[in-house]
Amino acid sequence: MSTQMNPWIHAPLSLFFAAMLLVTLAACGGGQGHGRSDAEKEGADTAAVAHGAELRFPEPAVSAKELACAEAEFAGKVHYGTPAAHDTIIPTTIQFTVESYRAIAAGLSNCSDTLGMVIHYGFDPDADTLSLAFSFACMTIDKDDMGTINTPDQPLYIIDKAHKLIAVSGSLTAWRTAQGKAFRENIVVDKYDQDKFQNIYKDFDPYMVYKFSRIDSLIKHNSLKPTDRVEVVAIAEPEVWPKTDRGAYFSMHTCLVARTSAGRIIDDTTHVPAAMYAARGADLGSPCPVACGGYVVFLDKGVDVRASCLK
């Protein structure tokens, strides 16, 4: 179902490259705990990643089956409530029209750096659903595809009933004291894939960043018309695979999927290298807090989905 957004109700880079601790493609994890403390598990997981244990790095385009696996992870790993009592988040369809996205992009043509869309995570406790907000920023990105957002408190947008991105009068700071605060206080995550939920966002304002170039490629590769849409799909991913079918450091992410009035354009059989996002989801954003501290970091590859899900 579609919904109208209610406008009001970071890690050392050397470790990042050594351990590949950031996730950018649909991924999942599973397994059992054996009485280890969180600190012990964290140390073991980091060591496993440093040695390349159980890691596979596929291309950035997401197939229909991979997306289904990652959506199932979201339902199982990201809940609302408390660590002691929690439930699944009510699903909602979040999508914006190509024409409304392009109208905003046209107004940012004076940006001499890399343009990016920032998706801010929020929660509507009255409906038990996600409530996302959007902003658009110039980013300074270096040769290693890392950098910073230059305008952190930029104008804020939500999606109206016609699926158009529209500006709201309040600031991002104000939004974070409403829906953003509700997300931080109500969202719990099974961080270690062991049915032990935690308030991992209590000290962060989580968001996801996409380069305009990747959104533009998704639109171009799927021949979307101005009235067609880009859907923001909530998924959950781990940062590491310390063991087969058991992940660690789960958190919420998003995947962008092309969509027409007939539904999502995503198919496991239609894919050619010349059009990476043709009938594929684009999940190669920079997964910021909790994953990337004060930086935005973009990768060319990500971790695989839970192996047992694809069987």
Side-chain angles (χ1 to χ4, degrees):
M1 64 178 178
S2 62
T3 184
Q4 179 180 9
M5 297 294 112
N6 178 0
W8 305 123
I9 41 179
H10 276 306
L13 297 180
S14 59
L15 176 62
F16 166 77
F17 282 115
M20 295 296 285
L21 287 182
L22 288 180
V23 174
T24 54
L25 186 66
C28 329
Q32 306 248 338
H34 300 284
R36 295 185 301 165
S37 68
D38 286 351
E40 289 172 330
K41 287 181 289 187
E42 185 166 334
D45 292 342
T46 301
V49 175
H51 289 86
E54 301 299 336
L55 292 181
R56 290 171 290 174
F57 301 100
E59 62 185 86
V62 182
S63 72
K65 194 167 186 178
E66 288 169 333
L67 181 60
C69 289
E71 286 188 274
E73 297 290 358
F74 179 79
K77 301 301 173 192
V78 183
H79 287 183
Y80 74 93
T82 68
H86 46 83
D87 203 350
T88 55
I89 297 172
I90 303 299
T92 185
T93 302
I94 302 170
Q95 49 191 306
F96 56 86
T97 62
V98 171
E99 61 186 353
S100 66
Y101 158 75
R102 284 180 169 161
I104 296 170
L108 298 173
S109 58
N110 61 341
C111 174
S112 59
D113 296 312
T114 302
L115 285 167
M117 168 187 275
V118 188
I119 303 175
H120 304 276
Y121 297 173
F123 183 67
D124 180 351
D126 295 327
D128 298 330
T129 63
L130 294 176
S131 178
L132 305 183
F134 302 78
S135 58
F136 300 85
C138 288
M139 300 181 293
T140 299
I141 305 296
D142 64 19
K143 62 181 178 60
D144 295 316
D145 240 0
M146 300 181 297
T148 56
I149 296 175
N150 300 332
T151 50
D153 201 15
Q154 60 270 43
L156 199 64
Y157 296 80
I158 60 170
I159 300 173
D160 67 8
K161 290 181 178 179
H163 309 298
K164 293 183 178 181
L165 288 158
I166 60 170
V168 294
S169 58
S171 67
L172 174 57
T173 299
W175 188 88
R176 282 176 167 168
T177 65
Q179 287 99 325
K181 181 180 180 182
F183 188 94
R184 295 192 304 271
E185 293 180 347
N186 289 281
I187 299 303
V188 292
V189 178
D190 184 12
K191 181 177 179 180
Y192 290 107
D193 200 12
Q194 297 175 343
D195 199 23
K196 181 180 178 182
F197 285 77
Q198 304 177 46
N199 293 105
I200 70 169
Y201 294 111
K202 62 182 179 180
D203 298 322
F204 300 92
D205 290 305
Y207 54 91
M208 190 86 172
V209 186
Y210 288 92
K211 290 181 180 179
F212 271 33
S213 59
R214 295 204 180 271
I215 304 174
D216 292 341
S217 293
L218 180 71
I219 293 169
K220 179 180 179 180
H221 292 176
N222 291 283
S223 303
L224 296 186
K225 301 186 295 295
T227 54
D228 289 333
R229 302 179 290 272
V230 175
E231 182 177 355
V232 183
V233 181
I235 60 176
E237 300 176 313
E239 294 178 7
V240 300
W241 284 104
K243 293 183 179 180
T244 300
D245 235 28
R246 185 181 77 76
Y249 310 109
F250 266 90
S251 59
M252 173 181 157
H253 295 260
T254 61
C255 184
L256 303 184
V257 179
R259 187 182 181 103
T260 67
S261 58
R264 292 178 182 175
I265 304 175
I266 190 162
D267 187 294
D268 286 335
T269 61
T270 307
H271 177 63
V272 293
M276 177 172 288
Y277 299 120
R280 288 293 190 278
D283 180 27
L284 204 63
S286 179
C288 296
V290 293
C292 47
Y295 295 91
V296 286
V297 184
F298 298 95
L299 298 180
D300 290 328
K301 297 180 180 180
V303 299
D304 209 343
V305 297
R306 190 190 297 268
S308 62
C309 184
L310 293 176
K311 292 179 179 179

